[in-house]
Amino acid sequence: MPENSRAIVITTLAERPEYLQRMYEFADTWPKFMFNDPIGNALMGQVAANFPDQCLVATEDDEPVAHGRSIPFVYPDEDRPKLPADGWDRVLQWGFADLRHDREPNVSSALEILIRPSHQGRGLSHAMLDAMRQAVKAKGHTTLYAPVRPNGKTDPHQPMTEYVEQSRPDGLPADPWLRVHVKAGGTILEVAPRSMVIAGTLDEWRGWTDLPFDTTGDVVVPKALVPVHVDVRHNHAVYVEPNVWVRHDL
């Protein structure tokens, strides 16, 4: 762990269940509209309670400063021959379907690593990803997948397939989160073109973004990776977010 992170303790929630409720004490940095994915709203809040041995909490002086969540699932099988185009949404569904049907998972997917803003820039994202890899490996899984949200993407009109090809002079990805994964040993596989889908009425989108949403067509929303598709006549707007599948061989 980096020198300036020496006092930070990272464990699974199974080891410190008293942090199950406290892990959400600090606000995340996702834009407001991102909290309206129906699949995420239905399932994400249940991940830590159901899979505490592969969800993480980082503390400093007993205060939560980061948390991470991942979910186990069966892959591949006859109904799941390839990684899903609807990445983040689908692995949540797969994980809970397998839990409900008492299937024995063989791989896992990262879902989130969240760092308290005051602790960003201290190498904690690398430490959390490494701890997640180790927690999944301890379950006997040989692969950790991740539908990564490349939040360094600032041009919503640029296709994600082009963005993932951008690299620095040292050959590492230009995107900070993709770079964290690649430096940890991850391999970029492909784009998940509809990893998360958020639909709402125009009034709902106005409330989520403080934008007028009064013209049919594509609307650029701050912190959205691609434009939001607006249909004034039918009173709805839809955001279809692409993420990037990364594979970690453990």
Side-chain angles (χ1 to χ4, degrees):
M1 189 174 294
E3 184 74 19
N4 59 0
S5 297
R6 189 173 292 168
I8 294 177
V9 177
I10 303 174
T11 66
T12 67
L13 282 171
E15 295 171 285
R16 293 193 289 173
E18 66 272 20
Y19 283 97
L20 178 60
Q21 299 304 320
R22 296 191 61 197
M23 62 186 288
Y24 308 107
E25 285 183 359
F26 57 94
D28 61 40
T29 57
W30 286 29
K32 186 177 180 180
F33 70 88
M34 293 286 290
F35 293 98
N36 295 280
D37 170 38
I39 294 175
N41 286 348
L43 300 176
M44 190 64 169
Q46 304 176 50
V47 172
N50 283 281
F51 310 105
D53 55 344
Q54 58 182 87
C55 292
L56 307 169
V57 61
T59 59
E60 185 176 52
D61 297 327
D62 298 324
E63 293 298 315
V65 297
H67 69 252
R69 287 179 277 184
S70 68
I71 191 167
F73 61 102
V74 176
Y75 177 79
D77 71 2
E78 60 182 1
D79 297 320
R80 304 171 184 175
K82 58 188 293 187
L83 289 171
D86 39 358
W88 193 85
D89 280 351
R90 185 62 67 188
V91 290
L92 273 169
Q93 293 174 314
W94 281 358
F96 279 100
D98 291 342
L99 178 67
R100 186 168 62 250
H101 294 106
D102 200 27
R103 303 183 74 195
E104 185 65 32
N106 61 316
V107 301
S108 289
S109 175
L111 295 172
E112 175 188 51
I113 291 177
L114 183 63
I115 313 296
R116 186 189 288 267
S118 61
H119 285 66
Q120 292 175 1
R122 296 175 55 177
L124 191 49
S125 58
H126 296 271
M128 289 291 287
L129 178 58
D130 181 65
M132 183 176 289
R133 285 165 51 104
Q134 295 306 314
V136 168
K137 186 177 180 179
K139 292 173 66 73
H141 296 179
T142 58
T143 307
L144 172 68
Y145 293 98
V148 177
R149 184 177 200 263
N151 53 16
K153 185 177 184 292
T154 57
D155 179 3
H157 296 291
Q158 180 185 29
M160 184 64 79
T161 51
E162 291 182 7
Y163 180 71
V164 297
E165 297 295 329
Q166 295 183 347
S167 61
R168 306 189 311 183
D170 62 4
L172 289 169
D175 183 81
W177 262 118
L178 288 175
R179 192 160 60 246
V180 167
H181 281 268
V182 170
K183 290 176 73 173
T187 301
I188 296 174
L189 299 178
E190 60 191 4
V191 171
R194 57 173 190 272
S195 193
M196 182 182 291
V197 178
I198 299 170
T201 67
L202 301 186
D203 275 345
E204 286 173 329
W205 276 98
R206 291 171 187 131
W208 299 339
T209 64
D210 294 323
L211 297 175
F213 278 86
D214 55 3
T215 303
T216 293
D218 288 346
V219 171
V220 173
V221 171
K223 296 187 178 181
L225 302 186
V226 295
V228 177
H229 303 289
V230 180
D231 189 322
V232 172
R233 183 180 178 189
H234 294 285
N235 188 28
H236 69 246
V238 181
Y239 175 67
V240 182
E241 177 168 290
N243 288 168
V244 180
W245 276 117
V246 175
R247 184 188 69 232
H248 292 264
D249 295 320
L250 308 177

